Amino acid sequence: MAKVPTCRIDKLLASMGYGSRNDVARLARTGRISCDAVKIFDVTKRIPVTPDLPTRMQVDGTALDPLSGMVILLHKPLGMTCSHKEDGALVYDILPDRWKRRNPAVSTVGRLDKQTSGLLLLTDDGDLLHRIISPKRHIKKTYRVQLARPLDGTEADLFAAGDLMLHGEDKPLAAAALDVISDTEALLSVTEGRYHQVRRMFAAAGNHVTALHRERLGGLFLPEDLAPGQWTLLSHDEIALIFQ
């Protein structure tokens, strides 16, 4: 049976963004931290870090945030940047403010550019992040594309051939699948994540992308009832869908 890890309460809560260890100690001294309905005053004590801890521990009367290893599915709105440092609206601004102070840090799993909306994952699990974005995994990403001009019928074969070379690169793209919806709308599924890849693919085909929206990552779909700017935490089963 695997040994349950333990951690000092002040170290655990500080790593989850509740403040410095001194901040956490002040919270405890004023009776604002509890576990199993019992107030905790000494945060130097070690506590078993079990999966059910967020349902048992409270800070200021609110259930503890998810433990390290959380995965967030965000419906990224247009106009927001997947960055910690750039000016303007950032996707991290949508999340609870203290999550910006978590250690390990919460990071986006890949990026969607400012003018692309849709399914975006964020996690503090570095190993999982690298598994998802690894080129060796060939995880399919599906985008709904709106185009400035009608498709001419050659695009599906061009993208599927596996020999399309983007401007300025020396390696051809992997084969991609195009599902035509209308003259100016299609679903494109790619297994790579090159810079502005979908936009550049259609530019190479003589067209221009006017709107781009990611609907799917592996076997995980963006929920229809998740509005732009909303997010949800993924279960283990939902995370597993990414690799299907």
Side-chain angles (χ1 to χ4, degrees), residues 143-162:
Y143 297 83
R144 184 174 292 270
V145 186
Q146 299 282 348
L147 297 161
R149 292 178 290 280
L151 295 159
D152 64 18
T154 64
E155 295 87 356
D157 289 340
L158 175 66
F159 297 159

Side-chain angles (χ1 to χ4, degrees), residues 100-230:
K100 300 175 187 176
R101 302 188 294 271
R102 286 177 69 109
N103 183 21
V106 175
S107 299
T108 61
V109 181
R111 291 190 171 196
L112 295 179
D113 67 51
K114 193 172 183 179
Q115 297 308 318
T116 300
S117 60
L119 191 161
L120 178 68
L121 298 184
L122 302 96
T123 185
D124 59 357
D125 185 335
D127 289 340
L128 177 64
L129 187 156
H130 290 296
R131 284 173 59 207
I132 295 172
I133 66 174
S134 170
K136 296 179 181 178
R137 293 278 177 175
H138 305 293
I139 292 177
K140 182 168 64 175
K141 297 170 280 286
T142 301
Y143 297 83
R144 184 174 292 270
V145 186
Q146 299 282 348
L147 297 161
R149 292 178 290 280
L151 295 159
D152 64 18
T154 64
E155 295 87 356
D157 289 340
L158 175 66
F159 297 159
D163 57 10
L164 177 62
M165 194 80 73
L166 295 178
H167 179 71
E169 299 197 9
D170 57 7
K171 182 181 177 181
L173 292 173
L178 185 71
D179 182 12
V180 176
I181 298 172
S182 71
D183 286 349
T184 57
E185 184 178 9
L187 294 175
L188 179 64
S189 295
V190 300
T191 57
E192 297 174 291
R194 303 197 199 182
Y195 180 72
H196 287 175
Q197 179 175 338
V198 174
R199 299 180 189 276
R200 294 167 69 200
M201 287 173 69
F202 280 99
N207 213 324
H208 174 70
V209 173
T210 59
L212 190 58
H213 178 82
R214 184 156 71 187
E215 295 190 345
R216 181 177 179 180
L217 182 65
L220 180 68
F221 287 85
L222 182 68
E224 292 183 0
D225 59 352
L226 195 68
Q230 292 185 336

Side-chain angles (χ1 to χ4, degrees), residues 54-112:
T55 66
R56 297 170 44 229
M57 182 174 277
Q58 292 189 336
V59 179
D60 282 333
T62 301
L64 193 68
D65 288 341
L67 299 173
S68 180
M70 68 178 179
V71 181
I72 306 153
L73 188 161
L74 169 69
H75 185 162
K76 179 192 172 294
L78 293 173
M80 302 197 86
T81 304
C82 297
S83 171
H84 284 286
K85 299 179 180 180
E86 293 185 33
D87 295 334
L90 309 178
V91 294
Y92 299 98
D93 297 336
I94 294 173
L95 304 177
D97 188 62
R98 64 177 167 267
W99 289 11
K100 300 175 187 176
R101 302 188 294 271
R102 286 177 69 109
N103 183 21
V106 175
S107 299
T108 61
V109 181
R111 291 190 171 196
L112 295 179

